[in-house]
């Protein structure tokens, strides 16, 4: 994918400007005008705020924080490095070290003066003055930051940190060195903010000054690193706060670069963001000039990295490249397309414009893009011609990645030209090539309808090729603006709904474009009824999975220090646990999967394989690691019923019935154990029963208030409609089979009893003797917290709730509560993972999941 921006691409690396008005009908493709990427935040005329400055500012702040943390917590390492440096510095004669320090200090102070003079004496004095002003502001801020950090380290910071950052002054003088070697910070900030990063001489002076400071004993390695980081971070913070002078070249610079490339440009007219229409002398063809700048590169970098992490069809990983490297990539793919016989614009010249900008000039191709053609001109011949151009790309394994209306240029004769290869790839994988077919199917269907799009595709590519792309026909494989267009296109047909396998998936429903995609599938199925329509999974990582992993990491970060800071180390407590109680806890944890299977099959009127049901509950232990609360178990049970031949609506209803009954039984059990807890000696002072009654009364009052407000009442009715239309009728069917219903109720009750028993046995295993009722209340409340937490298996929420409740309700000390919960979570969350994975694999191989 080229770093050209800008098109703010969709999830697959493609992007389009469908629905975006072109600036003027100059015959230049509209896609070129939308490649600027995110709109720039203007701070003043001629200035922009670049995303790269913010990214580097945050990176610098994190680096400073990590340096301080390592200096404090890794004192042995940083102290060893400082000692080694000091030992090496003693080998340098003191007079020579002092002379080197004085000379380099003077040279460092002269660096900003020389760089400012060079800038101000250059051709563009207005921009130079802005850059020098930015550099001076950054230098002042960086120096102020070093002074503040010095004061903080001397007066507020821990003594250990001050010792790690400083050392005794050389020559036996009293006192210590500065915590931050601040001479370099303002100079580096000035160099970076004023745009003098490319000059090597100032960098050499900075390096020599830093070495002289180490050799003279006036700085520690950590203090030197902090000074450099503060200067670099302060420069980018300044650049983001005040903005930077717009680096885009003026028309005169563009004309000069084109002349140096051997062309004869006469005048340049802006034709959109980063675009120019250049007239040439001597009746030479006009040029479409596209600028590529570093701001565009950085704006797309984070989005590209996220797509690479998330999608299998994302572009190959590339680091932050220069605009010249992006220009080379676009030119390479364009030349490859020309060699394949594809009609496209020819490249007239490429050129670099300084360090941050490059340009690519195409021979001007008059025409209109597909999104600007009237309906009567979108003929079957035109559609077939678009497919023929794609077929030529496919034969050479070239991927376009952005086959959207603005990338299909139609000339005066009606011939289709594919333009905008900025996101393309050569030697593309089969999956990416099939994504191109799915994208073009959707693009043409949006203009001409599904029937004509599929018919022309089958005529040109063949039914087998179109069929192979059918599993890729899903919103996540399409460009972002194509998904946006699908949301506003609702044209479901009876044929599309009649065919069950072609129904939309959950992603399509979310995208709102299921109607048109269903039509396309239905048209393909008319040609090839045996076609495989099950979508290919394109996501490597889903957003909710990332959220779950992050939540788990945060929970672990918070929990692990508590484990080892507790009075009773839980690892030692588990090692010294009573083996009998530990075995009973393990047995209770294992039986919970069997009782959960009973509670599941008891609410399904159809006959199920009980072994598969037990294995599905065990597999849920594996799914917990990547899904919050009980979401993973619900999805697994629903899938098991679907694979058993139960329709989706009935499967969801059965699972919903089980969840509803489980909630009711959970509340009843909580009320019963709270009542038993209050009956115990000393239990009345806990006032648990009034708290539960008060909570239920509050919930009833809230429900009454919601019911009294018409908008809130309608919202609640919409949420409860599935319960009344699907779940309750399913429950009435179950009432006709009392034996099966009894199995379900018994299983729902026993699964809680088994898990309560597991936690109770864990407390007994470490030598504590709480009452069973108090442990039951702890589990029931803590388990409810875990079901609403967006972390894997309720990590963090369950652990924190159980520990706190064991201390309050079961009168256990923090160390004992921590050890018991750690053992319980080990038995119910960690140990079942590997058996759960094996069970899930076995069920998938038997096509039960």
């Amino acid at each position: 994918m080229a770093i050209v921006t800008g098109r703010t691409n969709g999830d697959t690396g493609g992007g389009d400007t469908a629905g975006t008005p072109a600036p003027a009908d100059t015959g230049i493709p509209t896609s070129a005008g939308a490649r600027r990427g995110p709109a720039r935040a203007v701070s003043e005329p001629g200035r922009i705020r670049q995303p790269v400055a913010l990214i580097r500012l945050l990176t610098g702040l994190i680096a400073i924080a990590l340096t301080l943390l390592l200096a404090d917590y890794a004192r042995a390492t940083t102290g060893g490095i400082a000692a080694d440096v000091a030992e090496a510095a003693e080998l340098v004669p003191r007079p020579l070290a002092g002379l080197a320090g004085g000379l380099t200090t003077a040279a460092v102070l002269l660096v900003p003066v020389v760089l400012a003079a060079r800038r101000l004496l250059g051709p563009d004095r207005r921009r130079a003055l802005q850059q020098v002003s930015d550099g001076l502001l950054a230098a002042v801020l960086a120096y102020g930051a070093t002074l503040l950090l010095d004061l903080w380290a001397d007066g507020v910071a821990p003594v250990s940190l001050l010792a790690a950052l400083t050392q005794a002054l050389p020559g036996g003088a009293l006192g210590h060195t500065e915590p931050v070697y601040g001479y370099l910070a303002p100079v580096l900030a000035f160099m970076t903010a004023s745009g003098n990063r490319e000059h090597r001489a100032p960098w050499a002076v900075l390096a020599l000054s830093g070495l002289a400071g180490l050799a003279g004993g006036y700085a520690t390695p950590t203090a030197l690193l902090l000074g450099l980081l503060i200067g670099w971070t302060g420069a980018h913070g300044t650049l983001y706060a005040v903005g930077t002078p717009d680096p885009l070249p003026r028309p005169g610079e563009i004309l000069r670069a084109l002349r140096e490339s051997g062309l004869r440009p006469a005048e340049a007219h802006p034709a959109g963001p980063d675009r120019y229409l250049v007239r040439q002398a001597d009746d030479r063809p006009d040029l479409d000039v596209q600028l590529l700048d570093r701001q565009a590169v950085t704006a797309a970098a984070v989005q590209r990295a996220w797509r690479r992490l998330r999608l299998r069809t994302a572009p190959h990983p590339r680091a932050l490249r220069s605009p010249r490297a992006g220009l080379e990539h676009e030119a390479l793919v364009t030349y490859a397309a020309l060699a394949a016989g594809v009609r496209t614009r020819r490249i007239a010249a490429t050129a670099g414009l300084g360090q941050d900008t490059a340009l690519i000039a195409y021979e001007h191709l008059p025409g209109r893009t597909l999104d600007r053609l009237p309906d009567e001109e979108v003929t079957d011949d035109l559609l077939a011609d678009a497919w023929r151009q794609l077929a030529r790309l496919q034969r050479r394994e070239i991927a376009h990645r952005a086959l959207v209306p603005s990338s299909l240029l139609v000339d005066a004769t009606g011939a289709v030209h594919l333009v905008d290869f900025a996101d393309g790839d050569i030697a593309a994988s089969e999956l990416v090539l099939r994504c191109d077919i799915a994208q073009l199917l959707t693009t043409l269907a949006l203009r001409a309808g599904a029937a004509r799009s599929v018919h022309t595709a089958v005529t040109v590519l063949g039914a087998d090729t179109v069929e192979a792309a059918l599993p890729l026909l899903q919103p996540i494989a399409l460009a972002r603006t194509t998904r946006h267009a699908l949301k506003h296109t609702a044209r479901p047909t009876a044929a599309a709904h009649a065919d069950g396998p072609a129904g939309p998936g959950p992603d399509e429903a979310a995208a709102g474009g299921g109607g048109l995609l269903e039509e396309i599938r239905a048209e393909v199925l008319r040609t090839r009824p045996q076609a495989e329509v099950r979508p290919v999974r394109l996501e490597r990582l889903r957003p909710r999975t990332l959220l779950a992993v992050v939540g788990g990491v945060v929970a672990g970060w918070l929990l692990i220090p508590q484990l080892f800071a507790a009075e009773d180390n839980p690892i030692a407590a588990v090692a010294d646990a009573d083996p009998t109680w530990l075995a009973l806890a393990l047995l209770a944890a294992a039986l919970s999967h069997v009782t959960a299977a009973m509670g599941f099959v008891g609410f399904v009127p159809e006959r199920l394989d009980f072994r598969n049901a037990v294995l599905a509950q065990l597999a849920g232990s594996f799914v917990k690691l990547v899904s919050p609360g009980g979401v993973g178990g619900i999805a697994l049970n629903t899938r098991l019923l679907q694979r058993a031949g139960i329709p989706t609506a009935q499967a969801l209803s059965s699972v919903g019935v089980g969840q509803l009954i489980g909630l009711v039984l959970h509340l009843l059990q909580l009320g019963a154990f709270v009542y038993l807890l209050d009956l115990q000696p000393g239990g009345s002072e806990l006032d648990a029963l009034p708290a539960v009654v008060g909570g239920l009364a509050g919930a009833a009052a809230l429900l009454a208030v919601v019911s009294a407000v018409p908008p809130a009442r309608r919202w609640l009715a919409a949420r409860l409609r599935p319960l009344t239309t699907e779940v309750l009728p399913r429950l009435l069917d179950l009432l006709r089979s009392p034996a099966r219903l009894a199995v379900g109720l018994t299983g729902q009750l026993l699964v809680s009893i088994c898990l309560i028993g597991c936690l109770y046995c864990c407390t007994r295993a470490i030598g504590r003797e709480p009452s069973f009722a108090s442990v039951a209340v702890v589990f029931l409340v803590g388990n409810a917290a875990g079901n609403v937490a967006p972390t894997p298996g309720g990590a963090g929420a369950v652990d924190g709730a159980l520990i706190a409740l064991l201390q309050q309700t079961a009168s256990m000390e923090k160390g004992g509560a921590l050890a018991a919960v750690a053992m319980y979570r080990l038995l119910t969350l960690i140990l079942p993972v590997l058996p759960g994975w094996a069970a899930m694999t076995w069920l998938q191989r038997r096509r039960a999941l």
Side-chain angles (χ1 to χ4, degrees), residues 58-411:
L58 297 176
T59 303
L61 292 175
I62 293 172
I64 292 172
L66 289 177
T67 301
L68 292 173
L69 286 174
L70 290 175
D72 193 17
Y73 290 101
R75 290 187 292 272
T77 302
T78 55
I81 295 174
D84 293 339
V85 171
E87 184 178 351
E90 291 178 357
L91 302 177
V92 181
R94 300 306 306 170
L96 180 60
L99 178 62
L103 291 176
T104 54
T105 300
V108 164
L109 295 177
L110 288 175
V111 164
V113 178
V114 174
L115 292 179
R118 179 170 180 170
R119 281 285 181 187
L120 294 174
L121 294 177
D124 193 350
R125 296 186 181 180
R126 182 180 179 183
R127 181 179 295 181
L129 183 59
Q130 290 178 325
Q131 291 177 325
V132 170
S133 301
D134 294 344
L136 291 175
L137 177 60
V140 171
L141 294 177
Y143 188 66
T146 60
L147 292 179
L148 290 175
L149 192 56
D150 282 341
L151 293 175
W152 174 78
D154 278 326
V156 181
V159 177
S160 58
L161 178 61
L162 181 63
L165 296 177
T166 61
Q167 61 186 13
L169 288 171
L174 297 177
H176 56 74
T177 59
E178 296 294 334
V180 181
Y181 194 61
Y183 297 101
L184 304 184
V187 179
L188 178 58
F190 180 87
M191 287 173 50
T192 304
S194 62
N196 289 283
R197 299 185 301 271
E198 66 271 16
H199 299 298
R200 297 181 180 178
W203 287 105
V205 172
L206 282 179
L208 290 175
S209 178
L211 291 175
L214 292 175
Y218 293 100
T220 63
T222 309
L224 178 62
L225 177 60
L226 279 176
L228 295 174
L229 286 175
I230 290 174
W232 188 80
T233 305
H236 290 293
T238 302
L239 292 178
Y240 187 74
V242 304
T244 57
D246 197 332
L248 289 182
R250 293 177 171 81
E253 298 176 68
I254 295 173
L255 296 178
R256 183 169 59 252
L258 292 176
R259 291 192 190 99
E260 293 174 356
S261 300
L263 301 176
R264 300 289 300 278
E267 55 183 358
H269 301 282
D274 299 354
R275 300 166 53 234
Y276 289 87
L277 175 63
V278 177
R279 308 288 184 186
Q280 292 201 85
D282 302 333
D283 295 329
R284 293 191 179 189
D286 296 341
L287 301 174
D288 297 334
V289 176
Q290 173 68 48
L291 300 180
L292 318 176
D293 68 333
R294 189 176 296 277
Q295 190 265 344
V297 176
T298 309
V302 176
Q303 183 182 10
R304 188 168 61 247
W306 167 242
R307 288 197 305 272
R308 181 62 187 171
L309 178 67
R310 183 185 178 195
L311 298 178
R312 296 169 55 197
T313 54
H316 295 295
R318 298 183 179 96
L320 278 177
R321 305 178 296 186
S322 66
R324 188 181 297 274
L327 179 150
E328 292 170 353
H329 175 79
E330 182 171 354
L332 174 64
V333 181
T334 302
Y335 282 130
L338 287 168
V342 177
R343 287 195 295 269
T344 187
R345 297 178 295 176
R346 294 184 177 276
I347 297 177
T350 58
L353 297 172
Q355 187 77 9
D356 294 330
T357 310
L359 67 81
I360 182 168
Y362 293 98
E363 293 182 1
H364 179 59
L365 183 62
R368 294 167 294 171
T369 52
L370 181 65
D371 52 336
R372 302 181 66 188
L373 288 178
D375 291 340
E376 59 271 13
E377 294 187 27
V378 184
T379 63
D380 285 352
D381 291 339
L382 185 145
L383 302 181
D385 192 28
W387 286 114
R388 282 191 289 270
Q389 302 308 306
L390 178 61
R392 293 172 182 173
L393 287 178
Q394 299 264 316
R395 281 196 294 269
R396 296 294 183 91
E397 297 183 347
I398 303 172
H400 189 285
R401 289 185 175 274
L403 288 168
V404 293
S406 55
S407 296
L408 276 66
L409 184 67
V410 182
D411 63 18

Side-chain angles (χ1 to χ4, degrees), residues 452-528:
R452 294 173 62 193
S453 175
V454 172
H455 173 72
T456 52
V458 171
T459 302
V460 176
L461 301 180
D464 291 339
T465 304
V466 178
E467 174 192 342
L470 203 56
L472 278 300
L473 196 66
Q474 44 185 306
I476 197 172
L478 305 177
R480 187 184 65 174
T481 47
T482 302
R483 297 196 300 268
H484 178 74
L486 287 173
K487 289 182 180 180
H488 299 85
T489 303
R491 297 181 296 178
T493 62
H497 288 291
D499 198 315
D507 288 336
E508 292 170 18
L516 183 60
L517 297 184
E518 285 182 72
E519 290 187 41
I520 297 174
R521 288 194 189 94
E523 291 295 332
V524 176
L525 289 173
R526 289 193 183 95
T527 305
R528 300 296 295 268

Side-chain angles (χ1 to χ4, degrees), residues 660-743:
L660 178 62
I661 297 297
L663 175 62
V664 174
L665 293 178
H666 188 97
L667 294 175
L668 292 176
Q669 285 178 298
L670 178 60
F673 282 112
V674 166
Y675 178 73
L676 292 176
L677 186 61
D678 280 345
L679 292 180
Q680 294 177 1
S684 57
E685 62 188 23
L686 294 175
D687 294 328
L689 186 57
V692 173
V693 173
L696 294 177
L702 179 62
L703 182 61
V705 171
V706 170
S707 301
V709 180
R713 185 171 60 249
R714 288 192 295 269
W715 177 86
L716 182 62
R719 297 300 181 273
L720 294 178
R721 189 172 296 114
L723 176 66
T724 57
T725 58
E726 298 176 4
V727 175
L728 293 181
R730 190 72 163 171
L731 182 58
L732 294 176
D733 291 338
L734 286 170
L735 294 177
R736 301 173 183 173
S737 178
R740 184 172 293 272
L741 186 59
V743 170

